[in-house]
């Protein structure tokens, strides 16, 4: 929120809404260590927004002649919504780093095991023969697509919110659009066509894209849990958890934690979607409900991504055990052909390489 207040002051000075020295003074005072966070929390309860107490403290930190220039033209929701976009970008950038590590690990496994035969399982029963490379390639494409979806939302849909009291930015006069552009440039956020106080599609897209990423990552973790089961034993995690009473166990603890994080996410995504029909120019409850919902969601995305990456780090693949299961299936009369599995691996790896190249530009 302080980053937004600083950008608002700096952007306002650029379009002539306040003197540049005042803007510099305000920006210098937007340092979190100067603020009483407990008082802001109490203000959130009494005012239904943290911004009123935050602005009060900000005004107290600048000279009397600068105080009238604090928080120019904005309303409380402008500050919270724009801050939400910043927090989401920071949190999801970190989660995307771990998700890309998952994708890289899957790509390496797909290359190494392109032709490693494995039993394919449907409804947890032996089905037909596939390759472990093809299994990893399928998960790779899903994770890559989900990463691309989150990256698109961060790039195109995380936008500044700046509309003033009812979305007209009246206090800025004809400088409103220019001010929005300057604040967006300062914060490196997208410029919306119009203010979006009660149009919550951006938040819903953010939540949905995050939920899809979590689902794809958790599917990887779930596969590792199943394939590392004692009765299957086709993979083993490099860093297992232990048991308090069964010393022989090698629990896939990171995968378990990834699944636990992911289990909570669909309800949070649903809450974000349920909050979309907001009243007129300011919502009474549904907007406020987004704050904790998104906070939890972002934490869980990060947790899922980190734990899934840890699950794949150093994963041991038992080719002998895989082959033995295949031999059992073939001896029961099932054809060992894997069709176009190798070609699908190659296609997945090509898309992954193209996405990596596109992300580096």
């Amino acid at each position: 929120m302080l980053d937004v207040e600083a950008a608002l002051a700096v952007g306002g000075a650029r379009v002539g809404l306040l003197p540049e020295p005042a803007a510099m003074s305000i920006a210098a005072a937007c340092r979190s260590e100067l603020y009483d966070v407990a008082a802001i929390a109490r203000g959130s309860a009494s005012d239904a927004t943290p911004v009123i107490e935050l602005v009060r403290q900000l005004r107290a930190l600048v000279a009397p002649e600068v105080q009238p220039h604090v928080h120019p033209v904005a309303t409380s929701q402008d500050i919270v919504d724009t801050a939400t976009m910043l927090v989401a970008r920071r949190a999801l950038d970190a989660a995307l780093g771990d998700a890309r590590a998952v994708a890289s690990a899957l790509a390496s496994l797909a290359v190494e095991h392109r032709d490693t035969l494995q039993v394919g399982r449907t409804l947890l029963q032996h089905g037909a023969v596939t390759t472990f490379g093809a299994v990893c390639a399928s998960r790779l494409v899903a994770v890559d697509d989900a990463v691309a979806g989150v990256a698109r939302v961060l790039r195109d849909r995380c936008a500044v919110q700046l509309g003033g009291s009812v979305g007209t930015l009246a206090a800025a006069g004809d400088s409103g659009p220019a001010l929005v552009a300057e604040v967006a440039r300062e914060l490196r956020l997208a410029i919306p066509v119009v203010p979006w106080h009660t149009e919550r599609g951006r938040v819903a897209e953010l939540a949905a894209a995050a939920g899809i990423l979590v689902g794809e990552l958790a599917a990887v973790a779930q596969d590792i849990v199943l394939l590392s089961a004692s009765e299957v034993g086709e993979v083993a995690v490099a860093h297992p958890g232990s048991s308090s009473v069964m010393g022989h166990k090698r629990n896939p603890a990171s995968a378990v934690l990834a699944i636990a994080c992911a289990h909570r996410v669909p309800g949070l995504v649903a809450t974000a979607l349920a909050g979309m029909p907001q009243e007129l120019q300011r919502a009474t409850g549904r907007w406020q409900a987004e704050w904790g919902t998104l906070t939890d969601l972002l934490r869980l995305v990060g947790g899922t991504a980190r734990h899934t990456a840890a699950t794949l780090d150093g994963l041991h693949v038992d080719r002998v055990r895989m082959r033995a299961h295949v031999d059992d299936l073939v001896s029961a009369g099932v054809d060992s052909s894997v069709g176009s599995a190798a070609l699908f691996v190659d296609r997945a790896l090509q898309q992954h390489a193209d996405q990596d190249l596109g992300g580096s530009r």
Side-chain angles (χ1 to χ4, degrees):
M1 290 187 293
L2 291 170
D3 289 344
V4 179
E5 290 287 357
L8 182 61
V10 171
R14 287 180 186 154
V15 300
L17 293 178
L18 68 156
E20 185 173 350
M24 294 302 100
S25 176
I26 293 167
C30 289
R31 304 198 331 264
S32 60
E33 65 269 20
L34 301 176
Y35 290 78
D36 183 345
V37 177
I40 293 172
R42 290 191 295 271
S44 298
S46 60
D47 301 316
T49 171
V51 177
I52 294 171
E53 174 61 22
L54 180 136
V55 170
R56 188 196 67 76
Q57 293 186 33
L58 175 53
R59 287 199 173 106
L61 289 168
V62 299
E65 64 272 17
V66 175
Q67 291 175 357
H69 299 296
V70 170
H71 192 63
V73 313
T75 193
S76 294
Q77 185 171 355
D78 294 334
I79 305 304
V80 172
D81 277 349
T82 305
T84 297
M85 297 293 103
L86 294 177
V87 170
R89 184 176 66 193
R90 292 167 186 170
L92 290 174
D93 276 346
L96 287 180
D98 285 324
R100 291 187 176 106
V102 170
S104 294
L106 289 170
S108 296
L109 289 168
V111 170
E112 183 178 358
H113 297 283
R114 181 177 183 270
D115 301 310
T116 300
L117 296 182
Q118 183 189 26
V119 171
R121 296 169 173 89
T122 64
L123 305 184
L124 298 183
Q125 302 291 310
H126 285 193
V129 180
T130 182
T131 69
F132 188 56
V135 171
C136 293
S138 293
R139 295 302 189 197
L140 169 63
V141 169
V143 171
D144 273 345
D145 287 350
V147 166
V150 172
R152 181 197 66 80
V153 171
L154 293 180
R155 182 185 64 245
D156 299 338
R157 299 293 285 160
C158 279
V160 162
Q161 167 68 288
L162 188 56
S165 56
V166 293
T168 64
L169 214 52
D174 293 338
S175 299
L179 176 61
V180 173
E182 289 296 336
V183 175
R185 184 174 74 170
E186 189 73 13
L187 297 174
R188 296 184 298 109
L189 290 172
I191 302 172
V193 176
V194 295
W196 45 279
H197 287 145
T198 51
E199 289 72 48
R200 308 310 289 178
R202 296 176 190 276
V203 173
E205 284 186 60
L206 185 71
I212 290 169
L213 176 61
V214 164
E216 300 295 8
L217 291 170
V220 175
Q222 183 71 79
D223 282 354
I224 299 304
V225 169
L226 293 172
L227 293 177
S228 65
S230 300
E231 295 80 2
V232 181
E234 293 183 353
V235 303
V237 296
H239 312 289
S242 58
S243 167
S244 61
V245 295
M246 295 172 284
H248 61 281
K249 293 189 68 181
R250 292 173 56 83
N251 294 325
S254 292
V256 170
L257 291 174
I259 296 165
C261 288
H263 185 72
R264 294 177 55 200
V265 166
L268 296 168
V269 175
T271 299
L273 293 172
M276 287 188 67
Q278 297 191 4
E279 308 92 324
L280 303 175
Q281 285 73 53
R282 188 80 76 253
T284 56
R286 288 190 179 97
W287 170 59
Q288 292 81 357
E290 288 177 359
W291 308 345
T293 300
L294 292 176
T295 297
D296 285 350
L297 177 58
L298 293 171
R299 287 171 172 160
L300 292 167
V301 175
T304 305
R306 177 60 57 89
H307 292 308
T308 305
T311 298
L312 292 178
D313 182 26
L315 184 73
H316 171 70
V317 178
D318 191 335
R319 287 184 172 91
V320 174
R321 193 70 174 262
M322 286 185 178
R323 183 67 203 215
H325 290 147
V326 169
D327 290 343
D328 288 344
L329 191 62
V330 171
S331 68
V334 176
D335 185 4
S336 64
S337 170
V338 296
S340 300
L343 297 177
F344 290 138
V345 170
D346 295 341
R347 292 178 65 179
L349 293 170
Q350 185 60 59
Q351 176 183 286
H352 178 68
D354 291 344
Q355 185 164 315
D356 275 356
L357 182 62
S360 67
R361 283 198 291 263

